[in-house]
Amino acid sequence: MKAGKKDKAQKKQFSKIQLPPFLYCLAVIVILLLIYYYDLFVQKRFLWDDVLYQWYPFLSFAKDCLKTLKLPVWNPYVFSGVPYLNDLSILTFYPVNWFFLFLNGSAPLQFIQIELMMVFHLLLVGCFVYLFLKELKIDWQTRIYGSVIMAFSGYVSLRAIQISPVSIFAWSFLLFYFFIRILTIKNFSDAFLGGIFLGIAILASHPQFLLYLIYAFVVFYIYHTIVFERHNLKHYLPISLVKIAIFFLVGIGIAMIQYYPSLKYVPYTLREKMTYEQTTDGSLLPKQLLCILLPKFYGSVAGGGTDSVSFWAGPYGHYYWESGIYLGVLPLVLAIFAICYSPRKNKYIFLIIAVLALLFAMGKYFPLYKFFWQIIPGLKRFRFPVRFLSVYTISAGILSVLGLEYFLSNNEKVRLQLKRFSKYLLIALGTTGFCYLLFLGGVFKDASGYFSRTEIYANSQKQIGIFFFYLLLTWLVFFIRSQIKTKTLLLIILVVIISFVDLYRFGNKFSKGLVSPTDYYPYSRLVTGLQQERQKEIFRIRTREDGYMILKRNEGCLWKLEALEGYTSLNLERYYNFKLPVARWTELLNAKYIIKIDTNTNRMSLALNPKYLPRAFFCSDYQVIKDDNEILNRLSNDSFDVSQIVILEEEPETKLSGQTANSQVSIQKWDIDYIKVLVNTDQAGFLVLSEIYYPEWKARLDKKPTKIYRADFCLRAVFVPQGEHIVEFYYDKHNVKVGGLITFFTLSISLIAIVIQSKIKRKRTLSKNNN
């Protein structure tokens, strides 16, 4: 019986309840999310890592701006000032973000709003997987299984502390849904509608995963064309390529409000000049392939401390959560079953994509990676090839669904194959049991130095035991199915429960930290004092020294305190390389207070910086130096008076007299995108602003445009003639406006095209009915 007829028959069975099958899926996912993240909902535990260190401070800053109708173009509170809106990872224009930011109105952002946003995306995973599997003609009960294993897969569980990867993972299934329709349905409306959702996915701000997903689409298209359309290439190729072009062009056009200014930003960041060694940092270690079966064999990391032993396979804890490769024992076995026996031709494309994703995830450990790194667009832009595991998870999960679909088929051939496969599972069980007994007997203790520590050895033994248990349950499921002639709902429920419990055991504790945001970011006496002083004078703070931090990462965003340090994925290359002796560095960067460590007690405090320059000061002399190293050497020289001489990288249009000026400089207004300075001087010179140079900042001198010079390696300077003058610095939003116009026109054209296509389709339907 075909899947479509099955669906109709199953709908009739539930006609008394009058509920569509999708609602069952929705109910199951909601219930399981409540179970999985119960501690978050009742606020006994809290998300940690990037959600706490980055998203909460940054989104708090964004909300403070947006609720006053101010666009958050510049963040002055980290790294002495960085472009905020231009950073792709910030979610500024992501519609879902707006909803959760203002869930409590204009009140300050609460941490639980971000946690709810993360959980909401897991709900989207379940819904979009269901829709995608429907397009593959999978019956509704098996779709529910697919939704469960995807929403709680190892990749997702270990990414719950980072919103963007989970967001784009959710949208990827909707994009796959539209991509398949683009390849198989003749009208163009799916290309336009899919493009709109692609634009939303791009705005979810994880370009690396999106790039890897596009690679998967390319492979999928090539396979589909060769296998299913090879006899119709002359007609199929031009139409399909036009629709794919519409899909991507609309998506890119929709996202231009974010991407256009971001593309202007990237050349000024560290991302522009990464080496092969840097981009392959975070490659999947070959030995971590074992984690497909034994996810915690090498230990683990969790928000409340490890729930096994500390992760020891890599140098850092993030090597653990970056390598989310686990799908569960039963789902993995079902995927293997699909590869071996499922009659569906499309299983091979998902197998190919899964294998390629695994190979590319290994990065520098994959012998051909460097060759592909040189020729495939985009690979040079990102670190952590291990993130290809997102694509592996999608493909392996779909294979698992195909395996369950065939597993539930009602024919004698399937039962015979199940019996044969059960025998292979028995062999795997026996092998696993033998390995467990060897570990139990201490045979591998101290082998190669891996298991020299007792707790590591005990954990390895335990993980083999856990794998044996779930493999035993898997064998029982296969054995039971081989003995039953008809498909039963109880068996499907059993498969879902075993898979969920396995994934719950694996990932439930990882994302749940013990520290609440109010404890992590206390509104302390120190913060209060700094805020009060900040109202009188503009200044920065040096908050870190070695491993000590007197304010947490990005905490200044919460209290509007400007720090020299920060935590983000995209730094300005010029500021990163602004390497001077600490005293000169803090002097030029207006750091009034610097962290002080009592080495005897390890106590931290803030000390007044005896030598710091004001935010705006006047120099009556200048030097022109074009070489970066020479500039840094000159600035590092204690005899060089940075308060009187500014270093420029080009000759100014007007020469100076060289006489020392008597000048007064006062900041009249300071905002994130506008600074107004009053200068009164008896000699011409340069107003130097201890603000980071970035080309989108412009200046006016007495209401007339004037040039901003890059000064002292990464600061700003403006020539000011003799007399009293007003100098205004403002952030030019031209690139945002251009991007916004492109987005508006793309969206408008797409909606018009969809309406026209709908009318054409309606007319054709009426014409057919009349005939």
Side-chain angles (χ1 to χ4, degrees):
M1 186 185 294
K2 293 184 178 178
K5 293 181 179 179
K6 286 183 181 179
D7 272 2
K8 290 179 182 178
Q10 288 157 355
K11 286 178 183 178
K12 287 181 180 179
Q13 292 177 3
F14 290 90
S15 59
K16 296 179 182 179
I17 305 176
Q18 298 292 321
L19 287 177
F22 173 73
L23 291 183
Y24 289 99
C25 176
L26 192 63
V28 168
I29 296 297
V30 168
I31 291 169
L32 295 183
L33 283 172
L34 290 171
I35 294 170
Y36 200 95
Y37 292 103
Y38 172 79
D39 289 345
L40 295 185
F41 292 122
V42 299
Q43 293 290 275
K44 287 184 178 179
R45 296 285 188 271
F46 309 88
L47 294 179
W48 61 291
D49 196 70
D50 278 1
V51 171
L52 182 60
Y53 309 152
Q54 182 174 355
W55 294 108
Y56 180 50
F58 279 3
L59 292 179
S60 294
F61 163 72
K63 182 174 182 179
D64 287 342
C65 293
L66 292 171
K67 70 183 182 184
T68 59
L69 302 180
K70 184 182 290 293
L71 205 58
V73 290
W74 185 263
N75 182 357
Y77 305 118
V78 298
F79 295 118
S80 301
V82 291
Y84 180 86
L85 182 147
N86 293 9
D87 189 338
L88 285 174
S89 65
I90 300 299
L91 303 170
T92 306
F93 293 108
Y94 183 45
V96 178
N97 184 35
W98 301 340
F99 173 79
F100 284 96
L101 281 186
F102 293 96
L103 202 58
N104 63 339
S106 61
L109 182 68
Q110 300 297 308
F111 192 69
I112 193 171
Q113 291 171 246
I114 302 176
E115 294 176 313
L116 289 174
M117 180 160 58
M118 187 280 296
V119 175
F120 172 76
H121 281 96
L122 301 186
L123 182 62
L124 285 185
V125 172
C127 295
F128 292 158
V129 168
Y130 185 92
L131 183 64
F132 168 61
L133 294 176
K134 184 178 181 180
E135 189 62 28
L136 291 182
K137 305 298 186 292
I138 304 293
D139 68 86
W140 72 270
Q141 294 165 331
T142 308
R143 288 177 225 155
I144 293 177
Y145 162 80
S147 296
V148 170
I149 65 167
M150 289 297 189
F152 300 98
S153 63
Y155 176 83
V156 173
S157 296
L158 299 187
R159 288 293 182 170
I161 56 174
Q162 298 168 326
I163 295 174
S164 289
V166 175
S167 303
I168 190 67
F169 186 83
W171 290 104
S172 64
F173 294 99
L174 187 63
L175 298 182
F176 246 122
Y177 165 81
F178 278 107
F179 193 75
I180 288 177
R181 289 178 65 87
I182 287 169
L183 300 185
T184 56
I185 296 176
K186 292 182 179 180
N187 68 67
F188 283 74
S189 58
D190 286 306
F192 285 100
L193 187 57
I196 292 174
F197 286 112
L198 174 61
I200 294 173
I202 294 173
L203 293 174
S205 299
H206 201 278
Q208 185 174 7
F209 180 15
L210 190 65
L211 178 69
Y212 297 166
L213 189 64
I214 291 171
Y215 294 159
F217 284 159
V218 171
V219 176
F220 190 96
Y221 175 67
I222 293 171
Y223 177 87
H224 178 85
T225 302
I226 293 172
V227 174
F228 298 103
E229 305 290 346
R230 63 182 181 274
H231 301 301
N232 190 30
L233 288 181
K234 288 185 179 179
H235 178 71
Y236 175 78
L237 276 178
I239 294 177
S240 63
L241 288 174
V242 168
K243 289 194 290 183
I244 290 171
I246 291 171
F247 175 67
F248 283 112
L249 289 174
V250 169
I252 294 169
I254 293 291
M256 271 296 142
I257 192 170
Q258 174 70 72
Y259 262 65
Y260 188 79
S262 296
L263 290 172
K264 302 289 185 179
Y265 175 40
V266 170
Y268 297 93
T269 66
L270 292 171
R271 191 78 64 179
E272 185 71 8
K273 299 178 181 178
M274 287 197 294
T275 64
Y276 175 75
E277 288 69 26
Q278 289 172 322
T279 57
T280 54
D281 175 36
S283 299
L284 182 70
L285 301 169
K287 63 184 178 184
Q288 284 185 287
L289 292 174
L290 181 62
C291 295
I292 294 175
L293 306 175
L294 309 172
K296 296 181 182 178
F297 185 83
Y298 301 108
S300 63
V301 177
T306 179
D307 55 352
S308 54
V309 296
S310 296
F311 178 68
W312 55 272
Y316 307 106
H318 62 257
Y319 276 69
Y320 170 73
W321 66 74
E322 288 285 357
S323 57
I325 199 171
Y326 191 62
L327 197 64
V329 177
L330 178 53
L332 178 65
V333 171
L334 285 169
I336 296 170
F337 183 71
I339 294 168
C340 295
Y341 299 112
S342 174
R344 282 182 174 261
K345 289 183 179 180
N346 55 6
K347 71 179 181 182
Y348 296 110
I349 182 52
F350 294 115
L351 174 61
I352 291 168
I353 293 173
V355 171
L356 287 175
L358 268 183
L359 291 173
F360 277 83
M362 294 173 69
K364 60 186 175 184
Y365 303 111
F366 172 37
L368 297 178
Y369 189 81
K370 191 166 188 178
F371 168 75
F372 290 115
W373 180 84
Q374 291 171 333
I375 64 171
I376 296 180
L379 280 184
K380 294 182 179 181
R381 294 285 186 180
F382 301 101
R383 298 181 302 132
F384 289 98
V386 71
R387 291 172 183 170
F388 270 102
L389 291 180
S390 56
V391 176
Y392 161 80
T393 299
I394 293 171
S395 301
I398 294 169
L399 285 172
S400 183
V401 170
L402 298 181
L404 181 62
E405 175 196 43
Y406 192 61
F407 173 89
L408 296 171
S409 301
N410 292 323
N411 63 65
E412 191 62 29
K413 180 182 177 181
V414 176
R415 290 182 63 206
L416 292 173
Q417 290 169 336
L418 284 166
K419 289 178 181 179
R420 189 182 309 126
F421 196 77
S422 296
K423 292 178 182 178
Y424 298 142
L425 287 177
L426 273 178
I427 295 171
L429 262 177
T431 304
T432 305
F434 179 69
C435 291
Y436 180 75
L437 291 175
L438 290 177
F439 266 85
L440 197 63
V443 172
F444 300 109
K445 204 160 190 177
D446 299 323
S448 303
Y450 279 173
F451 307 114
S452 55
R453 288 168 53 189
T454 302
E455 66 272 20
I456 288 179
Y457 189 85
N459 174 71
S460 302
Q461 173 193 312
K462 177 183 175 183
Q463 299 308 317
I464 294 173
I466 291 171
F467 174 71
F468 178 85
F469 172 74
Y470 282 100
L471 190 60
L472 177 62
L473 290 180
T474 300
W475 174 80
L476 285 172
V477 167
F478 272 79
F479 178 77
I480 292 169
R481 179 69 186 103
S482 67
Q483 304 303 312
I484 299 174
K485 291 185 178 181
T486 58
K487 173 180 172 181
T488 67
L489 185 60
L490 287 176
L491 187 61
I492 298 171
I493 293 172
L494 180 63
V495 170
V496 171
I497 289 174
I498 290 174
S499 301
F500 174 75
V501 171
D502 187 3
L503 293 170
Y504 180 93
R505 170 203 59 85
F506 164 69
N508 171 252
K509 293 182 180 179
F510 170 77
S511 60
K512 299 173 183 178
L514 303 176
V515 181
S516 72
T518 52
D519 291 333
Y520 191 76
Y521 298 113
Y523 189 65
S524 62
R525 209 179 319 178
L526 173 67
V527 170
T528 305
L530 289 170
Q531 285 181 324
Q532 291 173 350
E533 193 166 350
R534 178 65 174 73
Q535 293 175 355
K536 303 173 186 176
E537 178 187 1
I538 297 171
F539 62 88
R540 294 195 184 94
I541 313 159
R542 187 192 179 208
T543 63
R544 298 186 195 177
E545 184 176 331
D546 298 327
Y548 294 93
M549 293 189 294
I550 198 164
L551 291 179
K552 301 297 192 300
R553 297 178 177 92
N554 302 325
E555 186 173 356
C557 297
L558 296 171
W559 318 125
K560 297 184 178 179
L561 298 173
E562 298 175 70
L564 270 60
E565 305 85 5
Y567 173 69
T568 184
S569 59
L570 210 56
N571 297 337
L572 284 168
E573 182 267 340
R574 201 81 182 172
Y575 185 76
Y576 178 82
N577 289 317
F578 191 38
K579 300 185 185 300
L580 299 175
V582 172
R584 180 53 58 89
W585 187 60
T586 54
E587 177 185 3
L588 277 168
L589 289 175
N590 179 229
K592 184 176 181 178
Y593 293 101
I594 56 177
I595 187 173
K596 183 179 179 182
I597 313 297
D598 185 334
T599 54
N600 295 321
T601 61
N602 282 336
R603 288 187 177 180
M604 296 176 288
S605 60
L606 283 181
L608 182 66
N609 185 3
K611 191 177 181 183
Y612 77 98
L613 289 170
R615 184 62 60 89
F617 57 95
F618 194 81
C619 289
S620 54
D621 198 4
Y622 71 91
Q623 293 181 5
V624 176
I625 303 175
K626 297 183 179 180
D627 182 74
D628 288 349
N629 291 327
E630 190 177 343
I631 294 172
L632 293 174
N633 289 335
R634 185 68 56 88
L635 290 173
S636 301
N637 192 326
D638 290 337
S639 63
F640 183 76
D641 189 354
V642 293
S643 66
Q644 294 297 320
I645 306 172
V646 61
I647 296 178
L648 306 178
E649 298 174 28
E650 57 182 302
E651 285 288 347
E653 296 174 357
T654 307
K655 302 294 183 182
L656 302 183
S657 66
Q659 298 180 20
T660 302
N662 292 318
S663 60
Q664 291 181 331
V665 177
S666 63
I667 296 177
Q668 303 290 298
K669 184 175 181 180
W670 183 95
D671 208 338
I672 64 167
D673 58 357
Y674 178 80
I675 301 169
K676 182 179 180 181
V677 184
L678 174 64
V679 181
N680 194 341
T681 176
D682 63 356
Q683 298 289 335
F686 284 91
L687 169 67
V688 181
L689 204 64
S690 182
E691 295 280 354
I692 304 306
Y693 178 88
Y694 185 66
E696 287 186 286
W697 277 96
K698 307 296 182 184
R700 290 187 290 258
L701 177 67
D702 299 329
K703 303 296 183 181
K704 296 180 181 179
T706 189
K707 180 181 178 63
I708 297 179
Y709 293 89
R710 187 160 64 192
D712 292 341
F713 194 78
C714 65
L715 304 181
R716 307 175 204 164
V718 169
F719 173 76
V720 178
Q722 179 183 358
E724 185 174 279
H725 304 276
I726 293 291
V727 183
E728 298 168 282
F729 297 85
Y730 62 95
Y731 194 95
D732 186 1
K733 303 178 181 67
H734 171 76
N735 290 330
V736 181
K737 293 174 183 176
V738 171
L741 283 173
I742 296 172
T743 295
F744 174 76
F745 283 116
T746 304
L747 182 59
S748 301
I749 292 169
S750 299
L751 292 176
I752 291 169
I754 291 169
V755 171
I756 292 172
Q757 284 286 314
S758 298
K759 288 183 177 180
I760 292 172
K761 185 178 179 180
R762 196 179 300 117
K763 286 181 180 179
R764 287 176 178 173
T765 303
L766 290 172
S767 177
K768 285 182 180 179
N769 292 338
N770 291 334
N771 292 334

